[in-house]
Every structure is written in C-alpha cells, then in structure tokens.
Amino acid sequence: MHIHIENDANGPDALQLPVELLRQRLETHPQLRSHFTLTENSDATHSATFLANADILWAGRKLALDQFAAPRLSWVQVMSAGVEQWLPHLPQGVTLTNASGVHGDKGAEFILMAALMFNFGIPGFLQDQAQRLWRPSFGGCARGKTVLLLGVGGIGSAAARLLTAQGYRVVGVTRSGECSAPVERCISIDAIDEVLPQVDVLVSTLPLTAQTRRLLDRRRLDLLPKRAGIVIVGRADVFDYNAMREKLNAGELAGAVLDVYPQEPLPTDDPLWHTPGVVMTPHCSLDDHAAYLEGCLEVFIDNLVRFRSGRALRNQVDVARGY
C-alpha cells in the first residue's frame, strides 16, 4: 500500500513532513513496519503523477482532488481542522480525516487569555492608551461570569476546562445540544437566542458549514448585552463582521478579540483596523509550529494502525455535516 506526502513548498519548514521521518516512524512501529511504500512531493506541477499511484494521502496543502486521476486513493489525512475547502472536491468514497484536537492546548490558553482581557477591560484600556486618556475602571473577578462557547470539539473542550477552572460558568453549544465537555450545560444551536442576553464572553471555535454560516447575524448580535466581549478563533464567516464592527463603533459591545477574518491577510484599508475595542492577531492563535507537525503525525500513525485493522478512523469527517 502506498502513502504519498504532499507538502506545501511555500509553508513553514516546521510544517513539512520529510519522507524519511515518516519512514522511520513506520519502521519502528511493529504493526506498520514493511507494509507501506512512500513518496513525497512539494511541487504542485508534479502532484498528478504521484496521486495516480497513491492509496493514502498526507495533505500538507489544499488540493482539489476531483481534478486529479487517483483511482486507488481511499483516505486523505489533512493537517488542518477546517475542511470546508476540501469537501466540494472530495471524490466519492474517499475518507477524510482532519487534525482536530492538535490545536487544543494553545487554543484553550488563548481563549482563556481573551476572556480575562474582557474581565479586566483591556480592549478599552488599549483604546484609551492610544488616545492618552486616563479612565480607571474597577471590576471584579471572573468567577460566576458566563461564557457561551460555540463549538466544543478539540479546542472548545480544552477551553471549557480552563475556563471552568478559572470560575467561569460555561455554556456549550453543539448541533445536537449534547456534549461530553466539562461545561455547566450544553444547548443546541437553535437555543442560543435565549442565552445570548446573559453572556459576558461569546467564544466561537465553530467550523464553517451550511448551518453555521452567518449564525451570528445582526439580529443575534443585537441580543448580546453591552458588557459582552467576542472571541473568534473558528471560521470568520460564522459572524456578520460588518454588523459586529458597527456595534463596536456604537459602544454596544465590550470588545472583540479576533484571530480570523473574512479576507486574509486583512486589507490595509479595512475599517476593522481602526475599530474601537478590537484586538487583532493574524490567524496564529491556535498553531504551535514547534509541536504541530508532531501532533498531526501522532493522529496519522494512530489512524494507520486503525486503518490496517479495519477500525473506525480518528477525526473522520462527516461529509454531510461538514466537520
């Protein structure tokens, strides 16, 4: 059986999977030794040749697979958690697994940091600093404040643990209204309107699907109290960014910590750069390049063992749901 690695020549060196590293891992694993042949490619012009003979694909970059003849391909392991750009081009019968959970530890710390920033009024203080304004504000501790956590997958579950330990009251939101994350309660997406007016911090780790696109539209943003802060580390198009920006300009939200944007890089003339209360990071809050490749490789090796034994794969994407 043949595994092909597609690396991204334009990506960081730390995210390239060398074929020798994978070969070493396979040869030292008793259940995988001598069962696979390997190739690697980082030149997009040569992908078709390699994919023609691949049974399994490690994808370090996005590929429109329906543009290639890959008659043997049965499974694709991608290095991202989001898969919305893969699904429209996924050939029928090909299994897709993602890197869900690899971002968990760093993502959870970022979310906790952002929540505490709102608790201590940091977005407002940063705005005052830029204008040389001295406006003390004396608040309390985070304990007892409400975080509405949109999505409790790998990142959301890890964030729920840290937030709960800090004393926040965490309400999780899932498609079904059920989850195993350490939250006070879990509700379905359809029930969020009743909770939004109680929220101190709204956090989104959601993937982009037909159900989540513009989930937080102007009507729902209007349900949030003025004290609420927004943290977005999932997909940007879950929110109406224009409506959010207008509410921030009007002083109707406490602020927003944003790591993702409708267009990236964010254009230099985008008004979001100058929106009061916004703290921006350039889509880097979740990734730890020192550990990310190793985390993805751990998922892949585990899945190769499962694949050989005919067991269900870890992080298998439900094509109908989109995640």
Side-chain angles (χ1 to χ4, degrees):
M1 188 164 288
H2 186 71
I3 301 173
H4 175 58
I5 302 166
E6 278 283 323
N7 282 315
D8 183 359
N10 297 317
D13 290 343
L15 300 185
Q16 312 289 321
L17 176 58
V19 68
E20 287 305 320
L21 175 59
L22 180 56
R23 180 174 287 113
Q24 178 185 11
R25 294 298 177 86
L26 296 177
E27 288 304 308
T28 56
H29 198 296
Q31 294 174 269
L32 303 178
R33 185 186 302 123
S34 302
H35 288 290
F36 300 96
T37 56
L38 306 177
T39 52
E40 184 274 335
N41 174 55
S42 56
D43 184 344
T45 61
H46 297 153
S47 298
T49 301
F50 289 103
L51 287 170
N53 299 308
D55 297 290
I56 300 169
L57 171 64
W58 165 283
R61 64 185 183 89
K62 295 180 176 66
L63 294 168
L65 289 175
D66 54 359
Q67 296 179 11
F68 298 93
R72 293 167 46 180
L73 188 64
S74 62
W75 164 34
V76 179
Q77 173 74 56
V78 301
M79 289 185 67
S80 60
V83 294
E84 69 273 6
Q85 295 184 23
W86 284 92
L87 294 177
H89 306 285
L90 189 70
Q92 187 174 3
V94 173
T95 298
L96 183 66
T97 55
N98 67 5
S100 179
V102 175
H103 304 83
D105 290 344
K106 185 182 177 186
E109 290 183 0
F110 183 88
I111 289 167
L112 175 61
M113 175 205 68
L116 289 171
M117 285 180 71
F118 293 125
N119 191 65
F120 291 101
I122 300 302
F125 287 141
L126 290 174
Q127 190 71 23
D128 289 349
Q129 179 182 339
Q131 300 177 51
R132 302 181 184 182
L133 295 176
W134 185 271
R135 297 194 298 181
S137 175
F138 303 96
C141 294
R143 184 168 299 279
K145 294 188 177 178
T146 299
V147 175
L148 184 63
L149 192 54
L150 302 176
V152 286
I155 299 168
S157 292
R161 284 191 290 273
L162 294 188
L163 291 163
T164 299
Q166 190 64 40
Y168 284 101
R169 171 179 173 263
V170 182
V171 179
V173 179
T174 65
R175 182 175 179 270
S176 65
E178 299 178 356
C179 69
S180 59
V183 296
E184 181 176 288
R185 66 185 177 116
C186 193
I187 64 173
S188 69
I189 286 179
D190 295 337
I192 63 174
D193 286 8
E194 65 186 63
V195 180
L196 287 171
Q198 308 163 26
V199 167
D200 295 289
V201 184
L202 173 63
V203 178
S204 178
T205 69
L206 287 174
L208 183 63
T209 68
Q211 187 179 23
T212 64
R213 185 180 295 275
R214 291 297 177 95
L215 177 68
L216 271 295
D217 55 11
R218 184 178 299 271
R219 182 188 68 79
R220 284 197 165 118
L221 290 171
D222 283 342
L223 294 176
L224 289 168
K226 290 179 65 174
R227 67 176 185 275
I230 295 175
V231 184
I232 308 176
V233 297
R235 290 301 190 244
D237 286 340
V238 172
F239 282 73
D240 182 338
Y241 268 52
N242 288 332
M244 179 172 59
R245 179 174 50 80
E246 290 172 5
K247 290 185 70 64
L248 288 162
N249 278 323
E252 296 174 354
L253 290 170
V257 177
L258 307 175
D259 188 56
V260 292
Y261 309 90
Q263 181 179 346
E264 296 183 3
L266 190 67
T268 57
D269 60 350
D270 194 291
L272 199 59
W273 288 104
H274 308 291
T275 302
V278 172
V279 178
M280 299 168 59
T281 54
H283 205 151
C284 58
S285 69
L286 305 184
D287 294 343
D288 176 0
H289 283 186
Y292 191 74
L293 178 64
E294 183 59 35
C296 291
L297 194 52
E298 179 186 333
V299 173
F300 189 48
I301 294 298
D302 181 33
N303 270 340
L304 284 170
V305 173
R306 292 165 178 259
F307 186 79
R308 288 209 67 242
S309 61
R311 291 184 290 141
L313 299 186
R314 177 176 165 188
N315 290 357
Q316 184 167 336
V317 174
D318 185 320
V319 174
R321 293 183 179 181
Y323 59 91

